[in-house]
Amino acid sequence: MKFELNEHHRNIPNDDLLDDVKRVASIIGKKALTRDEYSQHGKYGANTFLRHFGSWNTVLELCGFDVNVFQRAGAQGGHNYSTLTDEQIIEDLKRVAKILGSSTFSSGDYQKYGEFARGTIFRRFGTWNDALKKAGLRPYIRVSGRKISDDAILQEIERIWVKLGRQPTVTDIKNGISLYSLNTYTRHFGSWRNALRTFVEYINGENVSWEEEPIFEEAVAPNRISINYPELPYKHKTAREPNLRLRFMVMQRDNFKCCICGASPAKDPSVELHIDHIKPWSRGGETTIDNLQTLCSKCNLGKSDME
């Protein structure tokens, strides 16, 4: 089983980009389209538009759409900036906090959803955390990527991939789904694309660690009568918990859905997927891909109650 990265969009004609913005605008029925609204329905990443056109407002202008006058004024200076009050900025900070569902966020997060330019906020309040404090929000503390191991980052990519049920994008990371910032991935691997490539190469690696390092140990099974399983005790050739690679391969094979009820985090964010032994490990089942299945937490608990 091999996993491949999605096609990398390069050299896209400007007209194709603008046509897709118009398509999304027609879908949601508005012309004052934000980058976040486009990201939810569009074919391309927000950074693609910034590389081609310099700013999102330029994209809107070229499409003949309305442009946010406050954001333009904040970036360029003018009458709207001079009449903008601190209270308006504070209320917008609170609004973005509700959208993100967090009591703190970075200035980069605000740029995606906010009405005003970040430079405007820095000039008014001095620092980003001072602005958050005025809005009754918590200071934003960035996690240093240098203190995070490559393994932890690969595990985070796996978590996001499983949660979305698809390959995560730069836009997903910028929208706050990751525990780490985009800069963290860049510092460790050179770019987000390279981070994904490293993860895929690891998943597709020829060496399978759960076969290379057998673990022999005796398991004491529950005091039950069963005609389906051999006598106890069992000598296992594998560890009980699957490693990152095996976990991901099982979930990918099962399309990131529960094998019993079909629940998927991609459709319901509250769904939590587990890796389950088809033949229980305590009854001699090994931790191999053919003896593992994807179950949601509810079905996994229900299966355990029946054993």
Side-chain angles (χ1 to χ4, degrees), residues 86 89-90 93 120-127 130-131 134:
D86 290 355
I89 297 175
I90 290 172
L93 289 169
T120 301
I121 298 176
F122 282 113
R123 287 193 293 273
R124 287 294 182 91
F125 298 99
T127 69
D130 283 342
K134 288 286 187 180

Side-chain angles (χ1 to χ4, degrees), residues 293-306:
Q293 62 181 344
T294 304
L295 296 183
C296 68
S297 56
K298 292 181 180 179
C299 289
N300 193 29
L301 179 60
K303 179 175 179 289
S304 299
D305 291 341
M306 295 176 62

Side-chain angles (χ1 to χ4, degrees), residues 5-240:
L5 294 181
N6 294 339
E7 179 183 356
H8 196 189
H9 297 300
R10 290 182 178 176
N11 301 322
I12 307 169
N14 287 350
D15 288 344
D16 288 357
L17 293 171
L18 297 176
D19 285 345
D20 198 55
V21 173
K22 295 175 184 177
R23 178 187 65 82
V24 172
S26 66
I27 291 174
I28 66 175
K30 61 179 295 189
K31 292 186 176 181
L33 196 67
T34 67
R35 280 187 298 175
D36 179 55
E37 289 168 336
Y38 174 80
S39 297
Q40 293 177 15
H41 305 278
K43 293 169 54 178
Y44 310 109
N47 276 352
T48 302
F49 288 91
L50 296 181
R51 287 195 300 270
H52 279 248
F53 303 104
S55 72
W56 185 248
N57 277 344
T58 300
V59 173
L60 296 179
E61 288 177 334
L62 292 173
C63 289
F65 294 163
D66 298 331
V67 177
N68 186 307
V69 294
F70 284 110
Q71 188 168 0
R72 174 189 288 169
Q76 299 178 350
H79 173 72
N80 283 321
Y81 170 73
S82 63
T83 58
L84 181 65
T85 66
D86 290 355
E87 287 72 20
Q88 286 176 298
I89 297 175
I90 290 172
E91 286 304 312
D92 198 53
L93 289 169
K94 293 178 180 178
R95 181 186 63 83
V96 171
K98 289 182 179 180
I99 292 175
L100 295 173
S102 175
S103 59
T104 188
F105 49 89
S106 68
S107 62
D109 293 329
Y110 176 82
Q111 187 179 27
K112 302 181 189 72
Y113 305 100
E115 293 289 336
F116 314 115
R118 288 181 294 177
T120 301
I121 298 176
F122 282 113
R123 287 193 293 273
R124 287 294 182 91
F125 298 99
T127 69
W128 181 250
N129 280 338
D130 283 342
L132 293 177
K133 183 178 179 180
K134 288 286 187 180
L137 302 172
R138 292 189 298 106
Y140 178 75
I141 302 175
R142 183 178 298 278
V143 178
S144 173
R146 295 182 179 86
K147 298 179 181 179
I148 305 168
S149 69
D150 287 355
D151 287 344
I153 293 179
L154 293 177
Q155 290 175 14
E156 178 64 2
I157 292 176
E158 183 228 16
R159 183 190 70 82
I160 298 169
W161 203 313
V162 170
K163 182 177 179 65
L164 296 174
R166 60 168 171 79
Q167 178 185 310
T169 66
V170 167
T171 302
D172 294 323
I173 303 304
K174 288 186 174 182
N175 284 344
I177 194 173
S178 173
L179 295 176
Y180 312 124
S181 69
L182 185 61
N183 284 340
T184 299
Y185 295 96
T186 301
R187 283 196 296 267
H188 278 255
F189 299 101
S191 69
W192 169 246
R193 185 74 177 177
N194 285 342
L196 286 178
R197 182 175 292 110
T198 301
F199 176 78
V200 169
E201 288 173 353
Y202 171 72
I203 294 299
N204 290 329
E206 296 181 358
N207 295 325
V208 186
S209 61
W210 64 87
E211 293 177 354
E212 291 175 348
E213 301 177 0
I215 296 179
F216 298 91
E217 54 184 295
E218 294 185 354
V220 179
N223 185 21
R224 304 175 188 175
I225 298 175
S226 173
I227 62 174
N228 297 322
Y229 301 105
E231 296 295 326
L232 301 180
Y234 311 110
K235 287 189 176 181
H236 282 281
K237 297 179 181 180
T238 56
R240 182 166 190 163

